[in-house]
Each structure stands twice: as structure tokens, then as C-alpha cells.
Amino acid sequence: MASIRTARGNRPLTRPLIRTVTTTVTAALTLALTTVLGPAPAATAVPSPTPGELTPHAVESTYVSGVSSGGYLADQLHVAHSAVFEGAGIFSAGAYDCAQGSVNTALYACMDTYMPRKTPAQLERLTRERAAAGRVDPVANLAGDRVWLFHGGNDRTVDRPVNDDLATYHRDFGADVAYDTSSAAGHAWVSPLGKVACASTASPYINTCGTDPEQAMLTHLFGAPVNPATTAPLDGTLVRFDQNRHVPGGNAAAVSMGKDGFAYVPEACAAGSCRLMVALHGCQQTYGQIGDTFMAQAHLNEYADTNRMIVLYPQATTSLDNPRGCWNWWGYGGDTHYADKGGKQVSAIMSMVRQLGG
């Protein structure tokens, strides 16, 4: 392992020694998003997966959430398909297409802030241009959408000004933005079920801070108080489905997605209308890396049971140019449309959403 030190706080960033310049830089990006401290223990609070397919439901509204690389992809989905998604909840990410297709920009401008990055106003203009070209839905859809954002005080992976840009971007488009910066959390999804100390940045990147951000997020996104999360065993089914069927070209691995995806369907959603929440893990949180830990500890299924909500858990995977299993927010794999409707991962997830009735 090679090692360099950043200017801020003499903080180390390790890089795997890989053969090409492109993959070396990509590895530095994804490793900067995570700190490897060994495998996390397997979680048991989520039902065992049941093999099956995504089946249509009476979905009344659709939302998306994510953390880190999953937060960036959540925003890409929301912006590209704002006619479908009514809101987004994002832990620690920056404004839409901050990376501009460049791994260096992603690493040094959209996580750290050593390099200049596009301002929110510039990215808003870019979004309008893409909307005019049909690459994303009309920006008028973003007005009034509910956006919930979170950035922890000990998050040194994505700098606070980058997260601030995301808040500005959506406020300028007229969204109803709630932005929580009160926590001392490290770089992580924060949940009452998390096992990592609040201020840490450590695998599996699900921290506990004595708060319930999921309640705050869902309350804001739904525009009304939510029923308390269940403390009883979950009553729904965790469907394990083939993601190959949803990826353009039929090869999930070719776009750094896992073979299997998951959807938690509460018993109450077997009949009648339900909401749909797409939940996107971050780097090093894939099923192949930590098993069902993200699904078990994200504290969404517990609210799903009591609030008639299906939770879709798409899965990224590792690949040569994505060694940490991140979602595509800087254009790896040559996907020049990663941030718009033509993006391969965006298209795959939208196929899943439509199959569920979103």
C-alpha cells in the first residue's frame, strides 16, 4: 500500500498499488470515502432473504435516500427523474454532478476542497441545460420537493462546504430543505441501530448518536409525523431478486452492480397502497462486503412496518475501477451519462422502481 498525506490535519490517504494510473486514482477516491477496520459482525434483525422477483404494488409516492456515494446517486436519481421522486434524504454528499466526470475533481473538490469546484449556481445552470435537452426531467418538478440533509461535525470525508452546496442547490430550485448539522457524527449513516461510536468513521459506517435521524427524515419527506418504528420482529418479507434483469445489457457486473438486489415488503403492503423508499448504501457497505448489515441497521424497515412503506435496497459491487463498491457519481466505467437518465445505474434502479409500481 502506498501512502500520501493530505494538507488538512496531516491526515493519511492510502492507495492500493494497482497497475494503471486511472485505477490508482480511482482507488484513492474510493478509499478516501472509507476507512478499513475489518469486517463487521453479521446483523440478524432483518428477515432472511426470500428468492423472488419484484412485483407491482399500489405505490402512492416514491422517495430516495442514501449515504456518501449513495447520497450522490440519490441526488442524481431525484434530479434526473423528479417526475417520479417526491423527495430525497441524503447523508453526507454534495450537489448534483459535482464531480463533472473527473475522478480528481471528485476526490479533491467534492470530498476534500483543495481544488475549485462548480458553484451551486453553475450546477443549477447545467441542470437547466440538461432538462432542456431531455437528459433530466424539467427542473420545475424540484420546486416544493422535500429534501432532508445530514452532515456530522466529525465528518472529515466529505467537507461541510460540499454538503452546504447541496442544500443551496435545492433551495435555489425552490425545494423544502431540512438540513441537520447538529450531530457530532463521523462519516456514516446514523441510526439508533448502528454499532459504531458516533464520532467515528469506521466500518460498517452505521453510527449511533443517541438520536433517530430516520424519524426526522421520514417526517420531513412525508410532510407529516410518522408512526413510531416497530420494536417487534419485522413482519415483512425481504425479497432477493436478480439485478441483471434490470441493468441495460443484462449484465449487472459490467456496471459495478451486484447480481442480487433486495426489497423489504411489509405485510401491510401485500394489499393496498404503500410508499416506496429507495435506500442506497455507501462505499464498502454492499451485501458482498458486509452482508445484510446495512439493511438491518439502517432503521428503515422498522418504520416500513408501521408506515406502509416498501424499502428497495439496490446493490453496487466491487470492480477493477471501483474497488470499494461505491455507486457511480464520477463516471467510472466510461459511463458519461452517469448523472442523467442515460446513466446505466440510474436506468437499472429506475427499472426496479417501475417494476414495484413507483
Side-chain angles (χ1 to χ4, degrees):
M1 299 288 284
S3 177
I4 61 173
R5 291 190 178 272
T6 65
R8 184 183 58 216
N10 205 31
R11 180 161 53 90
L13 292 174
T14 59
R15 297 184 177 182
L17 293 175
I18 50 183
R19 293 182 179 179
T20 67
V21 172
T22 299
T23 52
T24 299
V25 176
T26 302
L29 166 69
T30 52
L31 185 54
L33 284 166
T34 54
T35 304
V36 183
L37 294 181
T44 58
V46 69
S48 297
T50 299
E53 298 299 331
L54 299 179
T55 57
H57 292 77
V59 173
E60 62 186 43
S61 53
T62 306
Y63 305 87
V64 63
S65 58
V67 55
S68 193
S69 69
Y72 270 107
L73 182 58
D75 196 55
Q76 290 164 198
L77 282 161
H78 183 202
V79 172
H81 291 280
S82 56
V84 174
F85 295 100
E86 297 186 22
I90 297 172
F91 289 83
S92 193
Y96 172 77
D97 204 6
C98 178
Q100 295 288 287
S102 165
V103 67
N104 282 327
T105 301
L107 178 58
Y108 298 117
C110 302
M111 291 164 48
D112 282 320
T113 52
Y114 310 138
M115 289 172 52
R117 64 188 182 278
K118 295 283 188 182
T119 66
Q122 290 172 317
L123 295 175
E124 291 156 26
R125 182 164 59 250
L126 170 68
T127 307
R128 292 188 178 94
E129 292 170 355
R130 289 183 180 177
R135 293 176 58 186
V136 302
D137 281 347
V139 297
N141 295 337
L142 297 171
D145 277 5
R146 296 177 182 272
V147 176
W148 181 90
L149 307 177
F150 182 99
H151 190 271
N154 284 294
D155 187 341
R156 301 291 183 265
T157 303
V158 173
D159 286 351
R160 167 73 183 271
V162 176
N163 218 127
D164 292 348
D165 285 356
L166 178 59
T168 299
Y169 174 92
H170 281 286
R171 284 173 177 149
D172 287 351
F173 277 128
D176 180 357
V177 177
Y179 186 13
D180 184 353
T181 59
S182 64
S183 174
H187 187 69
W189 180 287
V190 177
S191 158
L193 304 180
K195 307 301 182 186
V196 179
C198 184
S200 298
T201 297
S203 179
Y205 311 100
I206 307 173
N207 292 13
T208 180
C209 294
T211 58
D212 188 349
E214 289 69 43
Q215 180 186 48
M217 176 177 71
L218 295 174
T219 296
H220 182 70
L221 294 183
F222 298 166
V226 294
N227 295 323
T230 185
T231 57
L234 298 175
D235 66 22
T237 301
L238 184 68
V239 180
R240 180 175 189 161
F241 63 93
D242 186 355
Q243 292 194 142
N244 289 303
R245 299 189 179 189
H246 299 278
V247 174
N251 185 352
V255 299
S256 202
M257 291 181 66
K259 177 186 179 298
D260 297 317
F262 301 86
Y264 179 71
V265 183
E267 185 177 310
C269 294
S273 63
C274 273
R275 302 178 177 97
L276 172 62
M277 171 64 75
V278 180
L280 299 168
H281 61 73
C283 304
Q284 284 193 278
Q285 289 184 322
T286 71
Y287 187 77
Q289 293 165 309
I290 63 170
D292 62 14
T293 301
F294 182 76
M295 294 181 283
Q297 296 182 13
H299 204 220
L300 293 175
N301 304 328
E302 290 72 18
Y303 279 106
D305 267 10
T306 55
N307 290 275
R308 301 183 67 90
M309 180 177 75
I310 297 167
V311 188
L312 173 64
Y313 295 101
Q315 295 294 310
T317 193
T318 58
S319 59
L320 180 63
D321 52 3
N322 181 33
R324 302 291 168 176
C326 303
W327 290 107
N328 197 351
W329 63 278
W330 68 91
Y332 63 68
D335 189 352
T336 58
H337 288 274
Y338 65 93
D340 64 41
K341 289 182 177 182
K344 295 173 183 177
Q345 292 181 354
V346 168
S347 297
I349 293 171
M350 288 307 299
S351 172
M352 300 172 197
V353 167
R354 294 187 178 107
Q355 187 66 31
L356 282 167

